Amino acid sequence: MMVLSSVPGIAQAQDEDPEETNPISLSLSETGLGASIALNGLDGRTRVTVPVPPGTGPSSLNAVLTVPAWLDRGWIDVESGNRPISRIALAGDAPTIPVSIPLAAVPVVDGAVTLDLASTLIPDAGFCPDAADAQLRLLDARVDYTGAPSIPRTISEFLPPVLRQLTVFMPAQPNRDMISAVLTLTTSVIDYYGAQPVRVVVRPDTQLQGSQPDQIFERSVVVSENKDAAAELIFPVDQSPPRLFVTGSGTALTDQARLITSNIADLAVTTKALAGASAPRAVLAPDSTTLDDLGIGTVTGKGDATATASLTLDQARLGRSVSDVSVHLTGNYTPGVGSITAGVGGKTIASWSADDSGRLDEWVEIPNAELRKATTVDVSLARPTDSAAGCNTQAASTITVDGSTVVRSGPSSTPAPLGFGSLPQALMPQFDVAMTQETFADTARAVSVVTGLQRLSSRPIMPQVVSLDDALASSDPAVVIAADGALPDSLSLPLSSSGATTFSIATPESTDTDASLTVDPGVPYASLQVTTTANNAALLVASSTGKGGRLDALLGWLDADPSRWFGRSGDILFAVPGIEPVSLSSGDLAGDSSEVSESTEASRSGVDRMSVTLLGIAGAVFLVALVGAVVLVVRSRRSTHRRHRRGDSPVS
């Protein structure tokens, strides 16, 4: 249910077009398209869809084009809807060239322009380039626009096609319903914008008065408690974006916060609306799905001697931590003599002979040990090469895996892979969020963590706020914010400490190896750690040694570059003041050979691996302390259970 109303005079006050000021320019990274555009092979093809803010028109796409050294000549054809737009001539006399593609004549459809780029490359005589390589790449691409973005007049227009920053104002002393609404709002906006690097800022509502109006690609939402639930646009000044005021209590407050990204938002064509109950249900992941359902679709690979179709299976898209994954490969390939292989991470997991039927119909199983957060299955067709054939004279081969290909999987009994590689899929379909102090500061920290997790997921995540005791006792996965380090003694983390001087390492599984490190003088630190609850559910803990500023610095480092969430490995993200945070594996630290990273030399003993890594930490601690000596006491001992000393407090 949604009730609409309008506020007379506000929309009319916005009728005048704002004066055009500075030209509008957006990088492709801001639009969620990544840092570069690749055209692979001698005849590469790609499609680019660029958003067009209302009130503007695209004028040009400008970039720097990398050119291979072996190129004799070539060109790039640019089309839109089968209509020629531009042809870019290429030569091999310079490694890069500036390019500008005119967009004024490109039709705008559903708020975007779509470009089809097709390259044709002719190599120097006698040179045979590898057709599988990325031969051309557009770098630092930006789109210039004419006009000025229009000001939203209704709730349905509130979110622009590109959002640089979302600011959320909330009470300085929030209750649990308020915290739930803010977490729902921020994660739903991050999910709505997908790969766009939206910055999220949480501010107390005491700062609302006198705050600067938003810029054209910024939006503010004010969340407050009121018995009368509603979502309403308020215009602070003329010719600046309005603020959305969300009010309500209990679950009604969350319903209003969810409105702007919901399916019914397009119906909110006024400045005020009341959204009815719209809480999404937690959907259990199916045991069987298809490439089409996963958003992968049909994949085709082509080449001369070898053609490869690559399928990337994201556990977050599958909706859970999975095991026992099998794929029923269906499709076709160029008929003839040859072999077909399926591989993961460079390892062959299945192979069979090609024949004259050209039909692909084979089940392959992915070993559990090869599963990652995103696992790429390479399906390759290899044919005998003719050594006497000239360059590019051998007939090209293709292999196609249909979108109807079935993917089967089962739930994993433990998050796999362990550590940050298990996120966010180990938190699906919904997870608890608990804070040692349900304050404004802890809420802002929780927003930082859950929005970072949402950036990792191609599906919406569903946080729900509960008490710390409930989170640790539940069978649901959880995120815990403990900026004050006040965690129960019963909770065992991969890395814990006694005060700020002794680090204790416990391996992620119930092995009999542990280790410790003593430093003098003690240094404050913060961490994000991935472990499991007593019920074997995934648990992400963000904590620090007693002062929230240490954890804030770590989370601020992650927020400064959203891509940093994607680069986490191991099960510990460790930070001390003045040193860039480092990813660690408790298995490596404690010398557990089953958890050693691929980059660690297998010939080293567990103690050697632990010593090298902990010496690195100690060196960082020494640089921060600047005074005193660093005393290492490294112990590796065998026991029959993981240590739980009541005098130890978990590290943050």
Side-chain angles (χ1 to χ4, degrees):
M1 178 191 70
M2 181 173 67
V3 179
L4 305 174
S5 65
S6 62
V7 178
I10 296 228
Q12 290 84 345
Q14 306 300 316
D15 282 342
E16 298 180 1
D17 291 332
E19 295 182 1
E20 184 175 346
T21 54
N22 296 324
I24 303 300
S25 180
L26 293 172
S27 68
L28 288 195
S29 295
E30 289 180 296
T31 65
L33 296 178
S36 64
I37 302 171
L39 288 163
N40 298 332
L42 298 179
D43 54 352
R45 300 289 186 272
T46 192
R47 171 168 289 186
V48 179
T49 300
V50 179
V52 179
T56 70
S59 59
S60 62
L61 188 156
N62 305 298
V64 174
L65 179 67
T66 62
V67 180
W70 47 258
L71 181 69
D72 177 47
R73 64 188 186 280
W75 58 90
I76 299 176
D77 287 318
V78 183
E79 297 182 348
S80 181
N82 296 322
R83 177 182 179 180
I85 301 298
S86 176
R87 171 172 286 181
I88 302 170
L90 306 175
D93 52 357
T96 62
I97 59 172
V99 297
S100 183
I101 301 173
L103 301 180
V106 179
V108 178
V109 180
D110 294 330
V113 295
T114 299
L115 302 175
D116 292 309
L117 279 63
S119 63
T120 300
L121 306 181
I122 301 174
D124 289 331
F127 188 87
C128 291
D130 185 351
D133 291 341
Q135 314 292 0
L136 297 175
R137 192 174 295 274
L138 290 167
L139 305 175
D140 303 325
R142 301 189 68 87
V143 179
D144 293 336
Y145 300 85
T146 58
S150 58
I151 302 301
R153 296 187 175 100
T154 67
I155 293 174
S156 62
E157 300 172 346
F158 178 70
L159 292 178
V162 174
L163 185 65
R164 288 173 173 162
Q165 177 171 303
L166 172 71
T167 301
V168 180
F169 292 91
M170 62 176 294
Q173 297 180 335
N175 57 29
R176 193 168 293 175
D177 291 334
M178 177 65 61
I179 297 172
S180 294
V182 170
L183 295 184
T184 297
L185 170 67
T186 52
T187 54
S188 63
V189 168
I190 294 298
D191 176 59
Y192 180 85
Y193 281 97
Q196 289 189 27
V198 180
R199 181 170 181 254
V200 178
V201 177
V202 181
R203 301 174 61 183
D205 56 10
T206 54
Q207 298 180 6
L208 179 60
Q209 187 70 24
S211 61
Q212 293 295 316
D214 291 328
Q215 300 300 308
I216 53 176
F217 297 118
E218 300 175 350
R219 293 294 185 267
S220 291
V221 179
V222 183
V223 185
S224 60
E225 191 170 27
N226 193 305
K227 64 179 181 180
D228 297 323
E232 181 177 7
L233 295 183
I234 301 295
F235 293 80
V237 294
D238 289 344
Q239 312 309 328
S240 68
R243 293 176 177 138
L244 180 67
F245 283 70
V246 173
T247 60
S249 60
T251 58
L253 179 61
T254 302
D255 292 336
Q256 311 315 308
R258 193 180 288 118
L259 171 60
I260 56 172
T261 57
S262 68
N263 293 331
I264 60 174
D266 290 341
L267 300 177
V269 292
T270 58
T271 59
K272 186 175 182 180
L274 169 63
S278 59
R281 296 179 179 178
V283 179
L284 297 178
D287 292 335
S288 180
T289 185
T290 67
L291 296 185
D292 284 336
D293 293 335
L294 294 174
I296 299 173
T298 297
V299 180
T300 297
K302 60 182 179 180
D304 295 332
T306 303
T308 300
S310 297
L311 322 171
T312 299
L313 305 178
D314 188 343
Q315 291 195 43
R317 177 71 73 175
L318 291 169
R320 62 184 175 187
S321 289
V322 297
S323 62
D324 303 326
V325 178
S326 58
V327 183
H328 185 193
L329 297 170
T330 57
N332 58 79
Y333 55 88
T334 304
V337 177
S339 63
I340 300 175
T341 60
V344 174
K347 299 178 181 179
T348 299
I349 59 175
S351 63
W352 60 97
S353 298
D355 56 36
D356 292 334
S357 71
R359 181 185 178 189
L360 184 64
D361 185 359
E362 193 81 16
W363 279 98
V364 297
E365 296 182 355
I366 303 176
N368 288 335
E370 301 301 326
L371 289 174
R372 301 291 182 266
K373 177 188 180 301
T375 304
T376 298
V377 181
D378 295 316
V379 185
S380 300
L381 169 66
R383 296 198 176 285
T385 58
D386 183 357
S387 59
C391 181
N392 301 320
T393 60
Q394 185 162 317
S397 300
T398 64
I399 185 167
T400 297
V401 180
D402 289 341
S404 59
T405 289
V406 173
V407 179
R408 290 181 179 172
S409 63
S412 176
S413 58
T414 58
L418 294 171
F420 285 98
S422 69
L423 303 179
Q425 66 270 15
L427 300 175
M428 294 180 169
Q430 64 183 22
F431 62 96
D432 297 332
V433 176
M435 292 158 267
T436 54
Q437 299 178 20
E438 294 180 356
T439 60
F440 170 85
D442 266 4
T443 302
R445 294 164 187 139
V447 166
S448 177
V449 172
V450 298
T451 54
L453 293 170
Q454 181 63 76
R455 296 183 200 279
L456 296 174
S457 178
S458 54
R459 295 174 54 169
I461 61 176
M462 299 176 61
Q464 53 186 6
V465 181
V466 300
S467 69
L468 179 60
D469 289 342
D470 287 346
L472 297 180
S474 173
S475 59
D476 290 335
V479 169
V480 171
I481 308 297
D484 57 2
L487 291 167
D489 296 333
S490 59
L491 178 60
S492 178
L493 293 178
L495 179 66
S496 59
S497 71
S498 177
T501 60
T502 300
F503 300 92
S504 299
I505 300 98
T507 52
E509 297 180 344
S510 56
T511 64
D512 53 1
T513 303
D514 63 3
S516 68
L517 167 72
T518 299
V519 295
D520 183 20
V523 172
Y525 52 89
S527 74
L528 265 66
Q529 301 191 54
V530 183
T531 184
T532 56
T533 66
N535 294 318
N536 210 33
L539 178 65
L540 173 62
V541 178
S543 57
S544 61
T545 51
K547 289 188 178 181
R550 299 161 190 166
L551 180 57
D552 294 338
L554 173 57
L555 297 178
W557 178 80
L558 286 169
D559 290 339
D561 183 356
S563 66
R564 287 172 175 161
W565 278 97
F566 293 86
R568 298 306 98 216
S569 60
D571 51 2
I572 305 165
L573 179 60
F574 177 83
V576 294
I579 303 296
E580 184 167 295
V582 59
S583 295
L584 303 171
S585 166
S586 60
D588 285 351
L589 292 173
D592 180 5
S593 60
S594 65
E595 295 296 327
V596 175
S597 63
E598 293 180 0
S599 62
T600 305
E601 294 181 10
S603 60
R604 289 186 178 180
S605 68
V607 173
D608 288 340
R609 287 192 302 271
M610 175 187 66
S611 300
V612 170
T613 307
L614 293 185
L615 280 168
I617 296 177
V621 171
F622 177 76
L623 290 175
V624 175
L626 297 179
V627 292
V630 178
V631 180
L632 288 172
V633 179
V634 179
R635 301 191 305 269
S636 181
R637 62 173 181 255
R638 315 295 290 183
S639 61
T640 58
H641 61 278
R642 298 170 70 176
R643 284 189 306 158
H644 298 279
R645 294 187 299 177
R646 293 188 59 84
D648 293 354
S649 61
V651 73
S652 52

